[in-house]
Amino acid sequence: MRTTRNKTGWHSRSILFLALLLTNAGVRAQQGTDFSKVQIKVTKVSGNIYMLEGEGGNIAASVGEDGIVIVDDQYAPLADKIQTALKNLGITDKPVRFVINTHYHGDHTGGNAPFSSAGSTVIAQDNVRKRLVTGGVAGTGGSVKMDVPPAPKEALPVITFEHDVTVHLNGEDIRALHFPAGHTDGDAIIFFTKNNVVHMGDDFVRYGFPFIDVESGGSVQGMIAAMEKVSAELPVDVKVIPGHGAVSNLDDVRAFVKMLKDTSAAVQNAIDKHQTLEQMKQEKILDPWKKWSGEFIDSDKFIETLYHSLTGTKGDFIKHN
Ligand SMILES: [Zn+2]
């Protein structure tokens, strides 16, 4: 917000990630979003936890007597509107003290620089900071491939964690837990333990077949492992904030996991039969799940995702959970 360099940083990242947003509710044109027209919609989820929607990933906010903690921050040009929306709740005049990033993608971290400049402390898993520092490539390992430039210094998390971290604020333990190798290699799922709310980041989304960033250490196996672990341990009535889409429940998560497992099995079966990627696409092996096919990740792109995920070498994605 303050310098040309910052502006360049968010602008290029936001353009790159617009492709990711095409299928999400409220997404506008492919050639760039007019952020001046974006409005921030605030929904009360439970107790003092709110969800904010504008452009990009969903934001969760704990708003209370100690101040504000937000999970993810969309895009830099929206930071002022987000701040205003939080203030307009009329609950506290205290600032956004902490921002927790669920992963490094620009539609979730684009506001890091302006929030940092306004005094917030940004917290993220180690790999989020690493990927923001270096930039790199995001993609399915196939036809979806996007260059991600390095983020400016102001956008980098100043506190990082390997496994988990807890922020004790507003009478609640707000716990961020790393789930490796799901949507990316730096995903954190955030638990608002007293309010019974969880922010899943992009390990769980509502726009159809998910984007799995295989190029950034993501895998369908890790995404399934994360969602199964979380859905087995959370209370049945937990409110689930997805990375993109409406507030959901555990049944929605289970349906998503079932789709991931069934489609993975279909692709694995084709791999076992020595089918090529091209043959799998020609035979439309994901046709039984075509209702999940979206504008951005259609059936062919999801076949690519699963193929590269299932044939690639993956690290110990469940080692510390
Ligand atoms: Zn993402």
Side-chain angles (χ1 to χ4, degrees):
M1 298 285 281
R2 292 171 308 169
T3 66
T4 309
R5 186 166 155 245
N6 274 0
K7 280 182 182 165
T8 307
W10 71 254
H11 186 70
S12 48
R13 279 198 296 148
S14 64
I15 296 299
L16 285 162
F17 277 90
L18 276 173
L20 303 188
L21 299 168
L22 290 176
T23 54
N24 302 333
V27 171
R28 335 299 189 233
Q30 192 169 2
Q31 289 303 314
T33 298
D34 182 355
F35 286 107
S36 70
K37 297 214 168 67
V38 175
Q39 293 186 347
I40 306 296
K41 181 183 158 203
V42 182
T43 307
K44 180 171 173 154
V45 181
S46 176
N48 63 309
I49 307 300
Y50 296 82
M51 181 170 101
L52 279 67
E53 296 165 272
E55 193 75 55
N58 286 328
I59 296 173
S62 163
V63 187
E65 58 179 6
D66 301 330
I68 299 171
V69 183
I70 61 173
V71 176
D72 288 346
D73 53 25
Q74 300 190 346
Y75 292 104
L78 299 176
D80 287 344
K81 289 185 187 181
I82 293 165
Q83 297 271 26
T84 302
L86 292 166
K87 207 180 188 82
N88 285 348
L89 287 169
I91 295 168
T92 180
D93 283 331
K94 291 186 176 154
V96 175
R97 293 176 62 180
F98 298 98
V99 175
I100 306 173
N101 294 148
T102 59
H103 64 291
Y104 87 101
H105 288 154
D107 54 331
H108 298 256
T109 61
N112 280 7
F115 275 98
S116 294
S117 301
S120 308
T121 299
V122 179
I123 303 172
Q125 207 275 336
D126 296 338
N127 293 335
V128 173
R129 186 181 159 98
K130 281 183 198 157
R131 291 194 181 278
L132 287 173
V133 167
T134 60
V137 172
T140 58
S143 57
V144 178
K145 206 172 177 101
M146 291 154 282
D147 287 322
V148 182
K153 180 172 178 286
E154 296 83 351
L156 301 178
V158 296
I159 295 178
T160 65
F161 60 94
E162 184 193 359
H163 179 252
D164 69 291
V165 69
T166 305
V167 176
H168 304 270
L169 222 67
N170 296 333
E172 182 163 45
D173 295 343
I174 302 167
R175 184 160 184 246
L177 180 59
H178 180 219
F179 286 83
H183 176 62
T184 69
D185 61 4
D187 306 325
I189 292 176
I190 319 301
F191 303 90
F192 297 92
T193 53
K194 195 179 84 183
N195 282 293
N196 199 20
V197 176
V198 59
H199 190 314
M200 298 286 200
D202 281 0
D203 270 334
F204 173 62
V205 295
R206 299 306 308 273
Y207 58 74
F209 289 137
F211 171 53
I212 298 176
D213 190 351
V214 178
E215 303 271 7
S216 303
S219 72
V220 70
Q221 301 96 312
M223 191 178 262
I224 291 169
M227 289 301 94
E228 286 200 314
K229 175 152 179 73
V230 168
S231 51
E233 291 181 2
L234 283 170
V236 288
D237 58 346
V238 68
K239 299 248 184 8
V240 178
I241 298 176
H244 299 268
V247 176
S248 305
N249 60 38
L250 281 189
D251 284 341
D252 301 318
V253 176
R254 289 195 189 98
F256 180 76
V257 174
K258 183 173 186 333
M259 177 276 291
L260 293 179
K261 290 174 95 166
D262 292 348
T263 53
S264 294
V267 170
Q268 185 61 54
N269 185 41
I271 292 169
D272 293 344
K273 288 194 294 193
H274 306 289
Q275 283 196 346
T276 65
L277 194 48
E278 226 24 70
Q279 285 170 326
M280 295 178 203
K281 289 181 189 173
Q282 273 163 16
E283 290 185 16
K284 299 187 186 306
I285 63 169
L286 295 191
D287 221 36
W289 298 275
K290 63 172 180 259
K291 70 166 185 174
W292 295 84
S293 182
E295 271 178 69
F296 176 45
I297 303 296
D298 59 18
S299 295
D300 280 357
K301 292 191 174 76
F302 201 54
I303 291 173
E304 285 174 9
T305 303
L306 296 174
Y307 179 86
H308 292 294
S309 194
L310 293 168
T311 57
T313 314
K314 293 285 159 269
D316 278 338
F317 59 82
I318 53 168
K319 73 171 186 255
H320 61 207
N321 280 305

